[in-house]
Amino acid sequence: MARIPGRLPTAPPTLADVAERAGVSRQTVSNAVNNPDLLRSDTLLRVQEAIEDLGYLPNRAARNLRTRASHLVGLRINPVQEGTASAIMDRFVHSLVETSREAGKHVLLFAGDPLDPLAGYDDLLRSTAVDAFVVTDTYLGNPQATWLGARRAPFVAFGRPWDNPSATHPWVDVDGAAGCALATTHLLDQGHERVAWIGWRKDSWIGEDRRSGWTRAMHERGLPTTGLASRVEDTVASGRGASAVLLDEARPTAFVCASDTLAMGVLHTLAERGLAAGRDVAVVGFDDSQVAQVVPPGLTSVRQPLEEVAVEVVKALEGLLAHPPAVGPGVLLTPTLAVRGSSSAVGFGS
């Protein structure tokens, strides 16, 4: 509503104003906003026209008190680890925010103590500030799932319940083994036979799952994997050191890495030795980070369908918050491979 100079702003229209304009009771207006199915179609139309004419905006806070719903979903965010190249959570958070908005919900981001995976959840749960949570970091053993489940707090996990396969909470994940098998097969189809693996330490469920895809693809072609694998921390420096050792001792012609961070380390090693990625030694990463898309000559990488993950997470949330709640099975999505210059066959074998 335009403000006229010299006059006080006009007060916003109220529920009573709508009732008077439509010639109905205030309860009827309330029903039109919160429970339209209770009204006859002609009555509902009359109230809706009055709402539009007056520019009435329902008091969301008051409505939330009545319905005990905040329409907020809590998501804990952690700081990006120093020395890494991946920012996969940025893509996921953006997709989740957009998809949640389309479903009439909003995402409430909160921080926590990096050393305490449960920090932050208790305050939001006690204050009923959110209707549900989206849980990530399931590779930590998912203590959040156990804690929230014990308190009957609705949540959906981005990531499988690695430490409890019989868990019944809803989850959405990306098939890392399939992604690494796809990456390895891509290299094998170009004629590479000595494809090395650089992954995370053995206590990483996700790392071991991704490694299994490399192992499976190699064994399906009858190729050995002994001496071609390394387990390290997820840093560029670790990828750099591991690739140097493998090049000296195993002489691979290609690398598949559990992350773009490790793959960046391999690119550093190749540059130091005067070797060209793609032409002399092929390299494939995982996560299709922004770094993978801009680093010369372009890093081939497994791309997680994070937009689809967000859609499935919101679907699961809607099921959890329905009356009665509906919990479906876990959803496992298949990644794709973004092929770039680092795995080009040009020059290989010449």
Side-chain angles (χ1 to χ4, degrees):
M1 186 176 295
R3 180 175 178 176
I4 301 175
R7 295 186 184 180
L8 293 175
T10 303
T14 66
L15 183 144
D17 294 332
V18 175
E20 182 179 355
R21 170 69 68 91
V24 298
S25 70
R26 282 182 285 185
Q27 181 59 50
T28 298
V29 176
S30 178
N31 285 339
V33 173
N34 299 303
N35 300 290
D37 293 342
L38 298 178
L39 301 183
R40 288 171 22 192
S41 59
D42 59 330
T43 302
L44 177 60
L45 179 61
R46 195 161 70 249
V47 174
Q48 289 175 335
E49 288 176 345
I51 288 174
E52 184 175 352
D53 290 344
L54 294 173
Y56 171 67
L57 295 174
N59 188 324
R60 185 168 200 157
R63 186 170 62 195
N64 290 347
L65 287 174
R66 292 192 297 273
T67 62
R68 300 186 66 82
S70 67
H71 304 285
L72 293 176
V73 177
L75 174 68
R76 174 175 147 155
I77 55 172
N78 294 316
V80 176
Q81 182 183 348
E82 295 292 333
T84 63
S86 180
I88 183 174
M89 285 304 296
D90 288 350
R91 269 185 61 212
F92 172 66
V93 170
H94 184 271
S95 296
L96 182 65
V97 168
E98 286 293 314
T99 308
S100 297
R101 181 183 58 79
E102 293 171 1
K105 304 183 187 304
H106 296 280
V107 178
L108 176 64
L109 302 179
F110 65 99
D113 183 348
L115 300 178
D116 181 4
L118 297 177
Y121 287 94
D122 191 49
D123 289 343
L124 290 177
L125 197 58
R126 286 178 181 275
S127 65
T128 64
V130 299
D131 296 334
F133 292 93
V134 173
V135 172
T136 60
D137 298 342
T138 58
Y139 57 86
L140 296 174
N142 213 9
Q144 309 98 319
T146 302
W147 190 87
L148 291 169
R151 289 156 181 77
R152 298 185 179 181
F155 72 95
V156 178
F158 175 16
R160 278 162 278 183
W162 296 98
D163 60 337
N164 183 16
S166 62
T168 57
H169 66 262
W171 56 266
V172 182
D173 203 1
V174 177
D175 192 340
C180 288
L182 180 65
T184 306
T185 300
H186 164 69
L187 296 171
L188 297 176
D189 287 345
Q190 295 187 38
H192 293 279
E193 294 185 347
R194 296 191 62 75
V195 180
W197 167 260
I198 301 180
W200 302 322
R201 299 200 178 278
K202 202 168 187 176
D203 59 358
S204 167
W205 283 302
I206 296 178
E208 290 302 284
D209 181 59
R210 293 181 183 182
R211 175 181 169 131
S212 71
W214 164 76
T215 303
R216 182 174 73 244
M218 293 288 282
H219 289 173
E220 285 177 352
R221 298 288 182 96
L223 298 172
T225 56
T226 303
L228 284 169
S230 179
R231 290 187 175 96
V232 295
E233 298 295 332
D234 190 34
T235 65
V236 173
S238 295
R240 190 176 190 171
S243 58
V245 171
L246 286 167
L247 283 169
D248 290 339
E249 298 181 356
R251 305 194 66 80
T253 62
F255 288 88
V256 174
C257 302
S259 69
D260 285 350
T261 295
L262 294 173
M264 286 299 299
V266 178
L267 295 182
H268 277 294
T269 299
L270 296 182
E272 289 169 355
R273 299 190 176 199
L275 299 173
R279 186 192 66 198
D280 300 316
V281 178
V283 185
V284 179
F286 198 111
D287 280 340
D288 195 26
S289 62
Q290 287 182 318
V291 172
Q293 299 171 31
V294 300
V295 65
L299 176 63
T300 295
S301 185
V302 177
R303 183 176 179 85
Q304 300 198 53
L306 298 180
E307 295 77 14
E308 291 181 54
V309 171
V311 169
E312 294 297 336
V313 165
V314 171
K315 282 182 183 178
L317 285 170
E318 290 179 317
L320 276 180
L321 299 175
H323 300 288
V327 180
V331 177
L332 190 62
L333 300 173
T334 303
T336 56
L337 188 66
V339 178
R340 300 188 180 93
S342 71
S343 66
S344 169
V346 175
F348 175 70
S350 60

